[in-house]
Amino acid sequence: MRIVVAEDLYLLRDGMVRLLQAYGHEVVATAATGPETLEALLRWRADVSIVDVRMPPTQSDEGLRAALTARGEVPGLPVLILSQHVEQLYARELLADGAGGIGYFLKESVFDADQFIDALERVAAGGTAMDPAVIAKLLSSGSSDQRLGQLTEREYSVLGLMAEGLSNQAIGRRLFLSESAIGKYTTSMFGKLGITDDDNNNRRVLAVLTYLNKP
């Protein structure tokens, strides 16, 4: 894959570049500020980009804003956002356009190389990839969406794993169920959540948005 890495901390940026190269991927550009990030995202339109939320000049959310702006100009541009802490708002904003090709991971998860590379590949393919730690935090915070209360315990488990970005096959392996069984749970879940779009990938994004309690 052709990858852009946007991270202001040199050691982490250099470490990610070396990791990606070790897995056979090409880093086409790096960036250390919000403006540099936006320029790199739009110029290279890489297979996937890794973008830190907080970047100079103000260290607020320049990276996130650069990613959202770039995806506004190039719908579905694959981006995996890195954050120091779980911010539910970030996850919701990233998924709000329903286009897929998005991921949200904690920086500490970069050190699990296989998990990180797997997430990048899912995002590059147009899917979603949410850090399991993010999902756990969102689960513990609860939700006011009454539709989620209609789900069975198994359907809710499937939705949580879907939010991580896992395919039906991968969810089946995690829950020790057949892929066809997961398909039935997914269909039932979509119905209870009132999601009727015919595009299965889009339905998955809409389900995750419901899971994240999008108002």
Side-chain angles (χ1 to χ4, degrees):
M1 295 185 294
R2 297 165 59 256
I3 302 174
V4 167
V5 176
E7 164 62 54
D8 63 309
L9 296 177
Y10 172 77
L11 289 178
L12 181 55
R13 184 173 69 246
D14 185 63
M16 284 192 289
V17 169
R18 292 174 183 272
L19 171 65
L20 295 168
Q21 292 173 337
Y23 275 77
H25 301 302
E26 177 187 5
V27 177
V28 296
T30 62
T33 69
E36 288 178 3
T37 299
L38 180 58
E39 180 182 359
L41 291 175
L42 293 177
R43 176 184 177 187
W44 293 98
R45 302 192 180 193
D47 295 320
V48 64
S49 297
I50 303 166
V51 179
D52 183 19
V53 168
R54 300 180 185 277
M55 301 185 74
T58 68
Q59 291 290 353
S60 57
D61 60 356
E62 284 91 342
L64 176 69
R65 294 301 152 199
L68 292 173
T69 299
R71 282 172 61 86
E73 295 193 29
V74 186
L77 183 71
V79 177
L80 188 147
I81 291 289
L82 293 181
S83 178
Q84 192 71 40
H85 307 288
V86 177
E87 294 285 353
Q88 183 172 343
L89 177 62
Y90 293 163
R92 284 164 40 187
E93 284 193 81
L94 288 165
L95 289 166
D97 61 10
I102 204 71
Y104 179 43
F105 260 57
L106 297 181
K107 286 188 176 182
E108 62 189 40
S109 297
V110 174
F111 299 106
D112 185 336
D114 290 339
Q115 175 181 271
F116 184 59
I117 296 297
D118 179 63
L120 280 175
E121 291 174 348
R122 292 204 304 270
V123 172
T128 59
M130 303 292 287
D131 192 312
V134 173
I135 299 302
K137 178 65 178 292
L138 297 178
L139 269 173
S140 66
S141 67
S143 172
S144 62
D145 194 315
Q146 295 181 352
R147 292 175 298 174
L148 292 176
Q150 301 176 34
L151 303 184
T152 65
E153 182 177 350
R154 180 66 77 186
E155 289 167 348
Y156 200 73
S157 297
V158 169
L159 180 55
L161 293 172
M162 184 183 292
E164 288 185 29
L166 300 185
S167 65
N168 282 4
Q169 184 179 35
I171 293 172
R173 289 197 298 268
R174 186 76 65 87
L175 298 178
F176 303 102
L177 295 169
S178 68
E179 187 173 353
S180 61
I182 298 301
K184 292 178 181 178
Y185 283 122
T186 300
T187 299
S188 173
M189 178 183 66
F190 286 154
K192 291 178 180 179
L193 296 178
I195 299 171
T196 58
D197 193 296
D198 291 333
D199 184 326
N200 189 54
N201 285 331
N202 191 46
R203 288 200 298 173
R204 293 173 77 89
V205 173
L206 291 172
V208 173
L209 279 172
T210 302
Y211 182 86
L212 296 179
N213 193 25
K214 185 178 186 294

